[in-house]
Amino acid sequence: MSKKALSLIVGLLAVAIGVGYTFAACDIIEPFTIFVPGWWTVFLIVPGLGMLFTRGSNKFVSLFLITLGVVLFLQRNDYLGDIKKFIVPVLIILFGMSLIINAFFGDRKKNFTILPAIPGDGSIPAYEASFGELNPDYSGKLFEGCGMDITFGSGNLDLRNAVINKDVTISINIAFSGVKIKLPPGCKVDLQTSTSFGGVTNKYVSSSMPDAHIVHIFAAVSFGGVDIK
């Protein structure tokens, strides 16, 4: 989730909550509280909304989180009755919406376009996995950068024996997943992160040499983690 999207969503929620408590204080509405039945579904809906407006994120996962949160909230407040009868229609709607969104954003997965936050222009090879594992093999091979888009899976990018002869970019976009990045000695790491209910750990010791090649890493993480060594 980007900082801009997170700031927008949290700001709108804060305004709505503030207005609710103000109206209650003025006796315009009944006593107001945010701790209504199913209030915890906000932890599904908010990340989903953030992913929906984050470039490069998995739109199907974002729609799934939003829909799941809304359905659970309505069910918790007895608006839906028997929730089982809504499963098939909801799945059909999600499938249709994912096809529509893929028609607009699907081409970005063929060539992973470097985000504006990353120095340089152009595109880099992309690897994708859903409910699976990614292990790109660069042992003894030239590495010029790559992108990894993983949902409900894991990834291992081992570059300890790769050939890096220039500055490179690694773009990571994960949801409900974990990724390990292992770098060769003698490089510098330029790390930029965007996280939502996740984190990035950098244990790599960058070189102090002025001519060391820079590994630019952009990590967008939702419900997951990235370890750099």
Side-chain angles (χ1 to χ4, degrees):
M1 182 188 298
S2 68
K3 292 182 179 179
K4 183 177 181 180
L6 179 61
S7 178
L8 175 62
I9 294 172
V10 173
L12 289 173
L13 283 174
V15 170
I17 293 171
V19 170
Y21 278 113
T22 300
F23 283 1
C26 296
D27 296 325
I28 299 176
I29 60 176
E30 295 295 325
F32 176 81
T33 178
I34 61 173
F35 297 106
V36 296
W39 65 270
W40 47 267
T41 56
V42 69
F43 294 109
L44 293 173
I45 298 172
V46 170
L49 288 172
M51 291 176 64
L52 187 64
F53 296 104
T54 299
R55 196 170 87 173
S57 65
N58 191 304
K59 306 304 178 183
F60 181 82
V61 173
S62 68
L63 290 172
F64 176 79
L65 289 175
I66 295 170
T67 304
L68 179 63
V70 171
V71 170
L72 289 176
F73 178 81
L74 294 176
Q75 195 271 339
R76 182 66 179 81
N77 287 274
D78 297 324
Y79 289 118
L80 294 182
D82 185 6
I83 194 173
K84 294 181 180 179
K85 63 184 180 181
F86 291 93
I87 294 178
V88 173
V90 167
L91 289 177
I92 294 174
I93 292 172
L94 284 176
F95 177 72
M97 293 183 70
S98 67
L99 290 179
I100 295 172
I101 292 177
N102 186 65
F104 291 96
F105 300 101
D107 58 326
R108 292 181 181 174
K109 293 186 177 180
K110 297 178 182 178
N111 291 297
F112 197 102
T113 302
I114 298 176
L115 300 177
I118 301 299
D121 297 311
S123 47
I124 54 181
Y127 301 97
E128 302 172 49
S130 295
F131 298 95
E133 185 176 350
L134 282 179
N135 293 293
D137 183 11
Y138 282 96
S139 181
K141 301 177 182 178
L142 178 65
F143 179 75
E144 298 182 300
C146 74
M148 299 180 74
D149 192 339
I150 307 175
T151 304
F152 292 102
S154 63
N156 182 34
L157 183 61
D158 192 343
L159 301 175
R160 290 175 294 180
N161 297 313
V163 178
I164 300 179
N165 57 14
K166 64 176 183 178
D167 294 353
V168 297
T169 295
I170 301 173
S171 294
I172 305 293
N173 182 54
I174 63 173
F176 298 94
S177 306
V179 170
K180 294 182 179 180
I181 302 175
K182 300 175 183 178
L183 301 175
C187 295
K188 293 181 180 179
V189 171
D190 171 33
L191 177 63
Q192 300 184 49
T193 65
S194 176
T195 62
S196 174
F197 300 98
V200 179
T201 302
N202 181 19
K203 297 181 180 179
Y204 183 80
V205 180
S206 294
S207 172
S208 59
M209 300 299 291
D211 58 346
H213 296 305
I214 302 174
V215 179
H216 301 285
I217 300 177
F218 182 90
V221 181
S222 295
F223 294 95
V226 175
D227 291 323
I228 304 169
K229 299 180 179 179

